[in-house]
């Protein structure tokens, strides 16, 4: 496997590819012409023709459906029919006969005026759960109508019609159950709805307009889609409503791939797989919200094209083998210097920049060898230069991290001073300004990014004095530090954000005096700094967020103080530091910072480099 991969990366393989390209170029042109022509054939014979047929069929079915819905609307809006339904069984026999004769005349006129209407039924709303007194132009007897009793709860379409309260209920293709059963009965597509009294809008009956099912099937069966392709109609949920195979009606499309393609409203053509066979399909929307779908095996469309493509592939394979043989014969003599140059490059890859190749040929390979030796010499010089520049760049980043916290600290202090002046509290303003001057003079005016812990502690004491003045309360600073720890070298203002957060977020909101405790513990090569307070504490959700600094920064959940500490640890102690925050609501918060040896720093040299 490794040898095979190496072969594909060799120069000889590239030369062979050149021969393959030169020899197979005519074949490529032929294949391209074939693909373009086959694509054109598919577009013309399948996409344009099939989509157009589907649109025409959809228009034909929509016209038939429209005739049914228009008939239903006419009956639904006829006040004469409403009055006839309301008055049936309420008048004398003679008047009832007149009503029946009138209803029969209207329904006959409706049926005979439209060749797509098979028949029309109108039910009168019965007592309890029953419907009776059906009107139909085909039901002739002495009283011109037929009395039946139908349990409405047994009729699914009646349940749906009640819910839709006047909207149409489209049913699947079926045999007319009201005039018998079996194969000799009429095939219909029923459209149902409730009948209302326009005066009080109460339900008084039901309307069922039956479209001629044979006419609908004839529309589908006249469509030619390949040799075995077929069209069928589904509703908005993928249930088959019309199909030449009547056994599939009222069943959901079984193939999930086909069902998903049908439900995708933005595609008028699609492909799917059924039992390992690829199918091509088209679909169009009908006027009632259904879809007409046509499918045909792709093989029936692309069979001749695939046979031509197979011939081209076989020819290409023969020419490819011929090209490989010629390539192997011609490149054998040029691979030796290339192999030597490759070995030398591998040594450079392993880190040996002192390698110099000894290929001395007069051709392009020899020129490449000379350029390789010259490049290595320049790389050695650039490596030294980049190393020096990276060191300077890193130092600039470290200084930027420290300087970012200074404006934040000064802003808070100057804001307090401004409030003192605005409140005309000159004495406190004077004291605050003096404390700030002492603070800046003793610490922030010094150069360097690294200071001793003793200097950081001196800064914290002066800073706490300013905050005591700002919030008018006593803040005790308790230390647990040995004398050796005072000389530890740490980044400037590493602990200040922790003290500030403890006072501002923990102690001040508690409205009482506070306590801040700082401990320094030495553990081998690591030093642990512990800053605790007796403030309000932090909730568990906030602790979880702060325990994942990258996510907290991305979501904007980390303040400038903790962000300063995070960047300081990342720049100074990459891979040798960590922090942990624990807290108890009402009792306080503890922050632990564990530091290893900072890179390139010690007590004296670190200050000088910073």
């Amino acid at each position: 496997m490794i040898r095979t991969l190496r072969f594909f990366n060799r120069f000889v393989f590239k030369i062979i590819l050149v021969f393959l390209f030169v020899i197979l170029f005519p074949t490529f042109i032929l294949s391209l012409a074939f693909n373009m022509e086959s694509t054109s054939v598919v577009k013309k014979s399948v996409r344009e023709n099939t989509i157009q047929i589907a649109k025409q069929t959809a228009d034909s079915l929509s016209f038939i459906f429209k005739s049914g819905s228009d008939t239903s609307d006419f009956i639904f809006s006829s006040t004469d029919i409403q009055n006839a339904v309301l008055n049936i069984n309420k008048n004398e026999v003679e008047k009832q006969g007149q009503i029946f004769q009138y209803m029969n005349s209207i329904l006959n006129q409706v049926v005979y005026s439209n060749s797509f209407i098979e028949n029309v039924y109108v039910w009168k709303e019965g007592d309890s759960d029953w419907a009776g007194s059906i009107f139909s132009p085909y039901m002739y007897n002495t009283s011109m109508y037929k009395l039946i009793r139908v349990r409405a709860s047994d009729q699914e379409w009646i349940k749906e019609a009640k819910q839709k309260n006047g909207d149409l209920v489209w049913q699947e293709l079926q045999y007319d159950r009201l005039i018998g059963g079996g194969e000799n009965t009429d095939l219909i597509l029923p459209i149902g709805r409730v009948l209302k009294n326009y005066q009080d809008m109460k339900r008084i009956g039901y309307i069922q307009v039956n479209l001629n099912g044979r006419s609908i099937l004839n529309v589908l069966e006249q469509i030619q889609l390949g040799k075995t392709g077929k069209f069928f109609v589904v509703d908005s949920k993928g249930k088959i409503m019309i199909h030449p195979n009547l056994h599939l009606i009222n069943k959901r499309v079984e193939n999930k791939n086909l069902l998903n393609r049908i439900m995708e409203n933005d595609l008028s053509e699609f492909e799917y797989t059924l039992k390992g066979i690829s199918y091509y399909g088209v679909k169009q929307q009908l006027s009632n919200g259904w879809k007409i779908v046509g499918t045909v095996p792709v093989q029936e469309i692309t069979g001749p094209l695939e046979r031509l493509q197979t011939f081209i592939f076989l020819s290409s394979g023969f020419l490819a083998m011929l090209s490989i043989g010629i390539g192997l014969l011609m490149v054998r003599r040029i691979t030796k210097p290339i192999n030597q140059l490759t070995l030398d490059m591998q040594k450079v890859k392993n880190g040996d920049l002192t390698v110099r190749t000894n290929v001395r040929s007069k051709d392009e390979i020899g020129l490449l060898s000379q350029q390789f030796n010259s490049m290595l010499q320049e790389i050695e010089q650039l490596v030294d230069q980049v190393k020096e520049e990276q060191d300077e760049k890193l130092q600039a980043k470290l200084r930027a991290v420290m300087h970012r916290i200074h404006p934040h600290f000064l802003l808070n202090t100057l804001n307090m001073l401004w409030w003192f002046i605005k409140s005309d509290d000159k004495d406190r303003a004077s004291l605050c300004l003096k404390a700030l001057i002492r603070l800046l003079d003793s610490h922030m005016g010094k150069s360097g990014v690294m200071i001793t812990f003793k200097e950081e502690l001196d800064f914290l004491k002066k800073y706490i004095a300013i905050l005591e003045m700002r919030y008018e309360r006593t803040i005790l600073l308790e230390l647990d530090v040995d004398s050796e720890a005072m000389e530890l070298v740490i980044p400037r203002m590493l602990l200040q954000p922790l003290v500030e957060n403890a006072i501002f977020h923990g102690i001040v909101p508690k409205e009482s005096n506070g306590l801040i405790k700082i401990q320094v513990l030495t553990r081998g090569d690591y030093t642990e700094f512990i800053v605790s307070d007796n403030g309000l504490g932090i909730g568990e959700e906030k602790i979880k967020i702060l325990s994942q600094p990258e996510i907290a920064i991305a979501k904007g959940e980390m303040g400038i103080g903790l962000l300063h500490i995070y960047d300081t640890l990342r720049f100074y102690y990459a891979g040798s530091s960590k922090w942990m925050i624990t807290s108890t609501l009402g009792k306080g918060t503890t922050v632990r910072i564990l530091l290893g040896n900072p890179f390139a720093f010690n007590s004296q040299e670190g200050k000088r480099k910073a």
Side-chain angles (χ1 to χ4, degrees):
M1 182 64 180
I2 296 178
R3 291 183 178 180
T4 302
L5 293 176
R6 288 178 178 175
F7 172 76
F8 286 117
N9 291 324
R10 293 177 62 183
F11 181 73
V12 60
F13 178 71
K14 298 178 181 179
I15 296 297
I16 293 174
L17 286 181
V18 173
F19 279 97
L20 285 173
F21 175 78
V22 173
I23 296 177
L24 295 180
F25 184 74
T27 304
F28 170 76
I29 297 298
L30 182 61
S31 300
L32 181 61
F34 163 74
N35 289 330
M36 293 176 62
E37 183 63 22
S38 63
T39 301
S40 176
V41 171
V42 171
K43 287 183 178 180
K44 291 181 179 180
S45 64
V46 178
R47 291 187 68 254
E48 297 178 358
N49 188 34
T50 305
I51 292 176
Q52 185 63 28
I53 291 175
K55 288 182 178 179
Q56 293 175 356
T57 306
D59 291 341
S60 299
L61 290 179
S62 295
F63 178 78
I64 297 175
F65 292 169
K66 185 69 165 52
S67 65
S69 61
D70 289 346
T71 301
S72 177
D73 291 341
F74 168 75
I75 299 174
F76 181 80
S77 60
S78 174
T79 55
D80 293 336
I81 293 178
Q82 295 173 20
N83 292 331
V85 172
L86 288 171
N87 294 325
I88 190 66
N89 298 331
K90 292 184 178 180
N91 299 303
E92 299 175 358
V93 175
E94 181 179 353
K95 291 184 178 181
Q96 290 188 39
Q98 295 176 358
I99 294 174
F100 301 144
Q101 185 176 5
Y102 172 75
M103 284 288 292
N104 186 72
S105 175
I106 292 179
L107 298 182
N108 274 324
Q109 184 179 359
V110 169
V111 173
Y112 292 135
S113 64
N114 194 321
S115 60
F116 297 116
I117 303 299
E118 183 69 19
N119 52 48
V120 178
Y121 298 132
V122 178
W123 280 280
K124 174 182 175 63
E125 178 82 4
D127 298 332
S128 182
D129 192 30
W130 296 91
S133 302
I134 182 171
F135 295 92
S136 174
Y138 290 102
M139 296 181 178
Y140 298 102
N141 54 27
T142 57
S143 54
M144 307 299 291
Y145 79 105
K146 183 178 180 180
L147 290 173
I148 64 171
R149 291 178 65 80
V150 177
R151 186 178 292 276
S153 60
D154 294 337
Q155 306 295 316
E156 292 297 329
W157 76 268
I158 291 182
K159 298 177 184 178
E160 187 175 352
K162 290 179 179 180
Q163 294 177 354
K164 291 190 174 182
N165 196 28
D167 292 335
L168 296 178
V169 177
W170 294 83
Q171 303 177 60
E172 71 278 2
L173 191 68
Q174 57 187 266
Y175 289 108
D176 193 345
R177 301 184 181 91
L178 296 178
I179 60 175
E183 298 181 356
N184 296 325
T185 58
D186 294 330
L187 198 62
I188 60 172
L189 184 76
I191 307 173
R193 72 193 307 174
V194 298
L195 179 64
K196 292 185 176 182
N197 180 6
Y198 272 13
Q199 295 182 359
D200 56 10
M201 296 307 293
K202 291 184 178 180
R203 187 175 65 248
I204 60 175
Y206 305 95
I207 304 171
Q208 181 172 312
V209 177
N210 293 332
L211 297 175
N212 191 312
R214 295 297 175 184
S215 298
I216 294 175
L217 284 182
N218 288 338
V219 173
L220 295 182
E221 292 172 351
Q222 290 176 359
I223 307 173
Q224 295 294 327
L225 187 58
K227 294 182 179 180
T228 62
K230 59 183 179 298
F231 277 87
F232 57 94
V233 177
V234 299
D235 65 3
S236 60
K237 297 181 180 179
K239 186 173 68 172
I240 300 175
M241 309 303 288
I242 304 174
H243 199 289
N245 184 356
L246 301 181
H247 297 289
L248 298 178
I249 293 178
N250 207 26
K251 295 181 180 179
R252 189 177 176 85
V253 177
E254 293 183 355
N255 186 273
K256 293 183 178 179
N257 290 332
L258 175 58
L259 181 61
N260 291 335
R261 298 300 183 273
I262 293 175
M263 293 296 102
E264 292 174 353
N265 296 326
D266 57 338
L267 299 176
S268 60
E269 57 180 342
F270 55 88
E271 291 187 8
Y272 70 99
T273 302
L274 176 62
K275 296 181 180 179
I277 301 176
S278 297
Y279 282 79
Y280 171 79
V282 292
K283 62 182 180 181
Q284 291 292 325
Q285 193 83 15
L286 299 179
S287 59
N288 67 338
W290 293 354
K291 293 180 182 178
I292 181 171
V293 182
T295 62
V296 62
V298 176
Q299 179 64 29
E300 295 184 9
I301 303 172
T302 61
L305 301 177
E306 290 179 355
R307 287 192 292 271
L308 177 59
Q309 189 177 25
T310 300
F311 172 77
I312 294 177
F313 285 159
L314 292 176
S315 301
S316 301
F318 172 76
L319 294 176
M321 296 301 296
L322 180 63
S323 300
I324 293 174
I326 296 175
L328 289 174
L329 292 176
M330 295 187 63
V331 302
R332 189 179 298 275
R333 296 183 61 182
I334 22 180
T335 55
K336 184 177 180 180
I338 295 177
N339 290 336
Q340 180 62 45
L341 186 59
T342 301
L343 292 176
D344 292 337
M345 290 181 177
Q346 185 66 35
K347 294 179 182 178
V348 174
K349 177 183 177 182
N350 295 332
D352 186 2
L353 297 180
T354 62
V355 174
R356 298 295 183 268
T357 182
N358 57 359
V359 177
R360 304 301 181 194
S361 60
K362 301 297 183 179
D363 55 12
E364 289 82 357
I365 303 300
L367 179 60
L368 178 62
S369 176
Q370 296 176 14
Q371 294 296 326
F372 175 73
N373 291 338
S374 176
M375 178 189 67
L376 286 179
Q377 185 174 357
E378 293 181 5
I379 288 177
E380 285 187 287
Q381 296 175 356
L382 289 174
V383 167
D384 294 337
Q385 180 180 349
V386 168
K387 184 177 180 181
E388 182 179 353
E389 291 177 353
Q390 288 296 326
D391 290 342
E392 293 177 355
K393 182 179 179 180
L394 181 58
Q395 292 301 322
K397 286 184 178 180
L398 299 179
R399 289 191 296 270
V401 169
M402 180 193 69
H403 292 156
R404 180 177 55 193
I405 199 67
H406 288 168
H408 177 68
F409 157 73
L410 289 175
L411 177 63
N412 291 338
T413 305
L414 293 175
N415 186 47
M416 176 183 66
L417 183 59
W418 179 79
W419 275 106
F420 287 160
I421 296 173
K422 184 178 180 180
S423 303
D424 199 23
D425 193 345
K426 297 180 180 179
D427 294 336
R428 297 182 68 190
S430 176
L431 292 175
C432 178
L433 185 58
K434 290 179 181 179
L436 179 60
I437 293 173
R438 290 196 303 270
L439 184 65
L440 294 176
D441 179 65
S442 65
H443 188 74
M444 297 184 70
K446 297 181 179 179
S447 62
V449 295
M450 303 297 289
I451 61 175
T452 63
F453 176 72
K454 181 179 180 180
E455 292 172 318
E456 177 79 354
L457 192 59
D458 180 62
F459 170 78
L460 291 177
K461 291 178 180 179
K462 291 181 171 61
Y463 178 66
I464 291 175
I466 293 177
L467 294 183
E468 285 181 320
M469 188 181 307
R470 176 181 179 181
Y471 296 113
E472 297 182 350
R473 64 193 60 194
T474 301
I475 301 174
L476 298 178
L477 179 62
E478 181 179 325
L479 301 177
D480 184 4
V481 184
D482 55 33
S483 58
E484 295 180 358
M486 289 293 184
E487 300 303 322
L488 289 173
V489 176
I490 61 174
R492 182 186 294 273
M493 299 187 77
L494 175 64
L495 303 181
Q496 183 272 340
L498 299 180
V499 173
E500 182 176 1
N501 284 344
I503 295 174
F504 184 77
H505 296 291
I507 296 174
V508 172
K510 201 173 181 180
E511 298 183 356
S512 63
N513 295 333
L515 171 65
I516 296 177
K517 183 176 181 180
I518 298 178
Q519 296 176 269
V520 181
L521 304 176
T522 302
R523 300 177 178 178
D525 294 335
Y526 285 87
T527 301
E528 184 176 14
F529 295 85
I530 305 173
V531 179
S532 305
D533 66 71
N534 64 341
L536 290 178
I538 305 175
E540 293 183 3
E541 293 298 326
K542 187 67 174 180
I543 293 293
K544 291 180 181 179
I545 294 175
L546 295 178
S547 64
Q548 297 177 307
E550 293 83 0
I551 298 177
I553 293 172
K555 293 183 177 181
E557 297 286 346
M558 182 175 290
I560 189 172
L562 292 181
L563 180 60
H564 165 76
I565 296 176
Y566 172 74
D567 286 342
T568 299
L569 297 180
R570 185 161 56 95
F571 290 146
Y572 284 72
Y573 303 90
S576 62
S577 66
K578 61 181 180 179
W579 68 356
M580 182 176 64
I581 301 176
T582 58
S583 182
T584 302
L585 289 176
K587 295 184 178 180
T589 303
T590 299
V591 180
R592 300 175 181 270
I593 299 179
L594 191 62
L595 302 181
N597 294 322
F599 64 90
F601 283 106
N602 54 48
S603 59
Q604 298 299 327
E605 187 66 12
K607 292 183 182 181
R608 186 182 63 79
K609 290 184 178 181

